Amino acid sequence: MGLRDSIAQGALRRVHVLLVETPGWAEVRMAVEGELRLRGWKAATSPADADILVVCGAPGHELASVCARVWSQMPGPRSRVTVDVTRDVSTALDSAADELGDDDAQRRDARARPTSMPQGLDEHSSVDHAGMDHPGMPGMDHSGMDHSDMPGMDHSGMATHDHTTMSGPSGIPLASGAPDRDGLEMDVLHVPLGPVLPHWHAGLVVDCVLHGDVIGQAEAKVLPAAGVPVGLPPDGSAGGEQRRVVVRNCDQAARVLALAGWPSAATRAQRIRDAALVGAALADLGAQLESLVRTVGRSRLLRWTLRGIPAAIGAVGSGEPVTVRERMLDLLREAAQSAGGASERHAASDVASQQELLRALPALIEGTDVATARLIIAAASLDTASLAISGAMRHE
Amino acid sequence: MSGYVSIALILVIALLAVGGLYLVAQYTAVASDPIEQLPFLSGWEPQEHALSRYHARWYPLTLLFLAFDVEMLFMYPWAVIVARDGMGAVVEMFVFLGVLMVGVIWAWREGALQWV
Amino acid sequence: MSSLLNPAWALLAAVVLGVLALVGAGVHGMVIARSEGRSARSGALSPVFELARLLRQRRRRTVAADVLLWRVGCGGLVVVALLKTAVIPFGSWILADIPVGIVWFNAMDVLLWAVLWLLGWGANSAYGLIGGYRFLSQAVSYELPLMFALVTPAVAAHSLQVSEVVAAQNGLWFVVWMPVAFLIFCASVIAFSSWSPFGTAAGSDIAGGILSEISGVDRLLVLAGRYALLTTGAAFAVAMFLGGGAGPLLPDWLWTLLKTLLLLFVFVALRHRLPAIRPDRLAEVAWIIVLPLALLQTLFVAIVVVVGR
């Protein structure tokens, strides 16, 4: 077993982590991202790429079922962990890594899972995405996540659905055609973007009808959390408000830069963000931000690849239409000013304006391709936390 | 001829290397058989199979490409004999390429190079 | 230049390619570690850890996937890269000094169209599908400039045989008087390896695209194949434009190695430093600016060759 052990040891030096952020737990997600960087681990882009599933915060009903599905899509070895507060991040990752390194347990888990989908898509949950199928999420053990292990889920007994009349192979229907924006008929795919996607707003779901990679129609919603997060600590440190602006803006700009495919710039923005989170001197951060603004602003390649992509802010009625690139630079400049001591009180983003932005989002991305849509969505200052909380309150 | 035997050799080595790696992984992976799962869709289940008539909007560009690509068939032999045949061969080839380039510019003006 | 017909040499070529690709991946790991605030040294071994991780990970299959074609896509990158090494001179040795070596290299990188598209198509996944088609739309833009960049050295050498192209650079490397062809070739190598800034087919905006559904050894083969393709691309650029093994003092095989590594490091480092170029942005520039430039480069070389006869 020497080879297997040393392989397991090596694998633990480069763990890939799939992050799911519940709206409101941004701070925990950032802490995890910072910890990954420190350890030389990597954020996973999809379940197939992931070893550990980290759920930040307390997901609501739907988001929990999404987490369960994503968990069942991880190939293994795998482990999962829920992190509620920032100070638990490091120990949570440690324990998840321990679990990951336990070769015997991982092999048991692998054997316990069914190697083929019972009937492809299980019809029970395809009818209702609301995730009635995993009520007992938090306390579940690993093997219990897979559908076929669920007690009382008799697939054969459900074959009478009208759904089956249009079924294709494995119980999944084939794509059917619809005219595109030029009136040409081609197959369309229904592809939801979010909530589990790299560089994505927490809890946001944009259901898209895709013609090729172009979005025909879109609908946006936010999945609520199961509770209200503790949130950022109220002004304990000096310059709390400025610090918050630095953190928020850098996080958002990093997202846009990552989606623009510029990893070094995105990492720089993230590192400034994380330094601000742990209380680094704002003046230093200001200088770093100025330098980042210069680097990003100077890039002609970026100017060219982002040319003409409108930012969502213009659509919601506040002044001139700006591009995603200008918006991202503005975010960084604003952060630099805040770090430099400018403390203009920001109009707290009220729920009504956030809802308006969410409603305006589909119109902005319809007719664009997925890559462009991702940039537009990332540059929109959507505060999904406030939307999710208001949504959760409505549900109660 | 020996060159092509070498290529066959390296093909065999490549296939052996890939096959060997799969064998090694059979032993080292936590389970030797692949697990069947639903394709990743941001955490949702697919409403239909992704394999479909994909709408490639850059379709006109592929036609343009095809026209130019067939021309490359002439370009390779031309490259070998151009030094021997002299200026005549240069002029003939580049007049031909020039005509093709006019076609490209026309297609560009028609918007074939923009599809989003 | 001596052709080598011996299984041992072919095996050695495969091993050298593997080692160079690993070194390239190590350098990439160092670049990332540096930018993330860790010591460069700590990142150097990350490809080894990644190798262990992927060997340990279970393989994955998606529902109703086109399994055969998908696996062809997974293994194809490494096979294509190895087939390319057959025509790449290593110092004064070459495995297969066939008279159409350049065409062979070109044929192999056209195979990548199929391989990378199958990778996206086979998984029966929407994100994979988008990734696969992104690669194709990028390929129709880079392929023609690449072909002209490859033809240009052949025109100057009066031959499609790689050893003759190297010999023709005796005294003056082709990069000096065909810099445009050299740059286009390098950009194309990055593009057909689906490497950033031309790596949108595997972009994180579509959850990894062509990579989104593969795990375990399948993923390992694809990731290793990309590094191998970058390496063979760099090595071929050395033969085509940088005088092959020519250089003072050191033996020619060492010069080949050094030049190849240098070029490989540049390719790897670029990934981190440049924003991605989306295929839809690339098309116009590739066809309206780069293609005519490539044609002018070929014309210039052809005229020089004819006049200097």
Side-chain angles (χ1 to χ4, degrees), chain C residues 50-63:
Chain C
E50 194 76 45
L51 181 89
R53 189 182 91 81
L54 290 172
L55 278 178
R56 188 170 179 242
Q57 197 176 42
R58 193 177 189 180
R59 288 169 61 217
R60 210 167 165 272
R61 192 177 61 214
T62 45
V63 171

Side-chain angles (χ1 to χ4, degrees), chain A residues 123-341:
Chain A
E123 315 213 328
H124 181 57
S125 55
S126 74
V127 175
D128 178 14
H129 280 313
M132 302 133 70
D133 47 344
H134 298 293
M137 259 291 294
M140 275 182 157
D141 67 16
H142 294 177
S143 54
M145 287 302 170
D146 297 302
H147 296 192
S148 63
D149 295 347
M150 298 295 295
M153 287 200 38
D154 182 8
H155 294 282
S156 55
M158 294 187 180
T160 48
H161 256 281
D162 59 339
H163 191 78
T164 48
T165 54
M166 51 180 286
S167 276
S170 303
I172 304 174
L174 295 169
S176 52
D180 76 339
R181 62 181 181 191
D182 306 324
L184 190 65
E185 194 196 297
M186 279 285 175
D187 285 348
V188 294
L189 293 177
H190 298 84
V191 177
L193 297 176
V196 186
L197 210 53
H199 321 302
W200 187 254
H201 293 290
L204 178 66
V205 181
V206 180
D207 285 310
C208 300
V209 179
L210 287 186
H211 306 263
D213 67 346
V214 172
I215 297 171
Q217 291 141 35
E219 257 174 78
K221 64 177 178 204
V222 174
L223 302 183
V228 180
V230 188
L232 284 170
D235 293 7
S237 53
E241 176 63 25
Q242 286 103 315
R243 200 169 284 277
R244 213 164 304 171
V245 173
V246 172
V247 169
R248 190 194 59 205
N249 287 14
C250 284
D251 188 42
Q252 209 189 337
R255 206 173 261 166
V256 177
L257 286 166
L259 287 170
W262 194 357
S264 66
T267 306
R268 272 173 76 183
Q270 276 196 358
R271 288 181 66 186
I272 297 170
R273 173 198 79 187
D274 292 349
L277 267 176
V278 297
L282 281 176
D284 295 348
L285 298 182
Q288 290 177 33
L289 277 164
E290 299 281 0
S291 145
L292 181 59
V293 168
R294 274 196 302 279
T295 308
V296 174
R298 254 204 321 258
S299 170
R300 290 193 186 179
L301 200 54
L302 188 74
R303 190 189 297 266
W304 171 58
T305 60
L306 297 187
R307 190 183 57 198
I309 301 179
I313 192 90
V316 200
S318 59
E320 293 283 295
V322 290
T323 65
V324 161
R325 176 178 167 278
E326 288 159 13
R327 171 83 189 129
M328 183 252 302
L329 280 170
D330 280 348
L331 285 168
L332 288 175
R333 281 195 205 101
E334 191 184 47
Q337 279 160 12
S338 288

Side-chain angles (χ1 to χ4, degrees), chain C:
Chain C
M1 195 160 289
S2 46
S3 264
L4 300 164
L5 178 61
N6 186 332
W9 289 115
L11 192 61
L12 182 69
V15 170
V16 169
L17 174 64
V19 170
L20 289 183
L22 198 59
V23 171
V27 169
H28 186 220
M30 289 164 83
V31 171
I32 289 179
R34 279 281 300 182
S35 85
E36 292 187 347
R38 282 170 286 128
S39 71
R41 209 145 47 110
S42 71
L45 281 181
S46 64
V48 178
F49 301 142
E50 194 76 45
L51 181 89
R53 189 182 91 81
L54 290 172
L55 278 178
R56 188 170 179 242
Q57 197 176 42
R58 193 177 189 180
R59 288 169 61 217
R60 210 167 165 272
R61 192 177 61 214
T62 45
V63 171
D66 202 331
V67 175
L68 176 66
L69 295 184
W70 195 16
R71 296 313 178 207
V72 167
C74 292
L77 293 175
V78 170
V79 174
V80 166
L82 275 167
L83 285 174
K84 282 181 174 182
T85 58
V87 296
I88 298 172
F90 187 64
S92 54
W93 303 305
I94 186 165
L95 279 177
D97 198 14
I98 53 178
V100 287
I102 294 177
V103 183
W104 176 261
F105 186 91
N106 195 189
M108 289 305 106
D109 63 51
V110 174
L111 260 187
L112 290 174
W113 289 44
V115 170
L116 283 156
W117 178 75
L118 285 179
L119 206 50
W121 167 268
N124 191 16
S125 143
Y127 296 135
L129 201 63
I130 294 173
Y133 278 97
R134 269 191 194 173
F135 182 80
L136 288 188
S137 61
Q138 172 171 290
V140 291
S141 294
Y142 75 69
E143 191 65 39
L144 281 173
L146 166 63
M147 285 173 167
F148 283 103
L150 280 173
V151 159
T152 312
V155 171
H158 318 169
S159 171
L160 293 164
Q161 195 160 350
V162 180
S163 60
E164 304 246 328
V165 173
V166 175
Q169 295 178 67
N170 193 11
L172 186 63
W173 294 359
F174 282 169
V175 66
V176 178
W177 56 300
M178 35 189 101
V180 177
F182 173 68
L183 290 177
I184 290 174
F185 180 79
C186 288
S188 304
V189 168
I190 296 172
F192 70 56
S193 309
S194 192
W195 191 256
S196 294
F198 300 107
T200 52
S204 61
D205 59 331
I206 45 172
I210 52 175
L211 297 173
S212 64
E213 299 296 343
I214 48 175
S215 67
V217 64
D218 298 321
R219 195 180 188 92
L220 172 63
L221 280 169
V222 174
L223 299 183
R226 287 208 301 187
Y227 282 109
L229 285 170
L230 280 178
T231 311
T232 49
F236 202 66
V238 169
M240 290 282 103
F241 299 100
L242 299 177
L249 298 175
L250 302 174
D252 52 6
W253 61 269
L254 196 53
W255 272 116
T256 308
L257 211 58
L258 288 177
K259 291 178 196 173
T260 302
L261 279 175
L262 191 70
L263 206 51
L264 179 62
F265 294 164
V266 173
F267 291 167
V268 165
L270 274 184
R271 176 194 179 107
H272 218 59
R273 305 193 68 83
L274 296 177
I277 298 169
R278 295 197 310 281
D280 55 290
R281 290 283 146 111
L282 178 65
E284 209 167 3
V285 171
W287 282 85
I288 301 302
I289 298 173
V290 179
L291 183 59
L293 278 177
L295 289 177
L296 287 177
Q297 173 77 86
T298 311
L299 177 63
F300 168 74
V301 170
I303 290 173
V304 169
V305 166
V306 168
V307 170
R309 204 162 28 147

Side-chain angles (χ1 to χ4, degrees), chain B residues 69-88:
Chain B
D69 201 39
V70 170
E71 186 276 334
M72 285 308 295
L73 221 58
F74 307 117
M75 200 74 192
Y76 280 124
W78 171 85
V80 180
I81 54 99
V82 62
R84 197 184 66 216
D85 281 19
M87 207 47 94

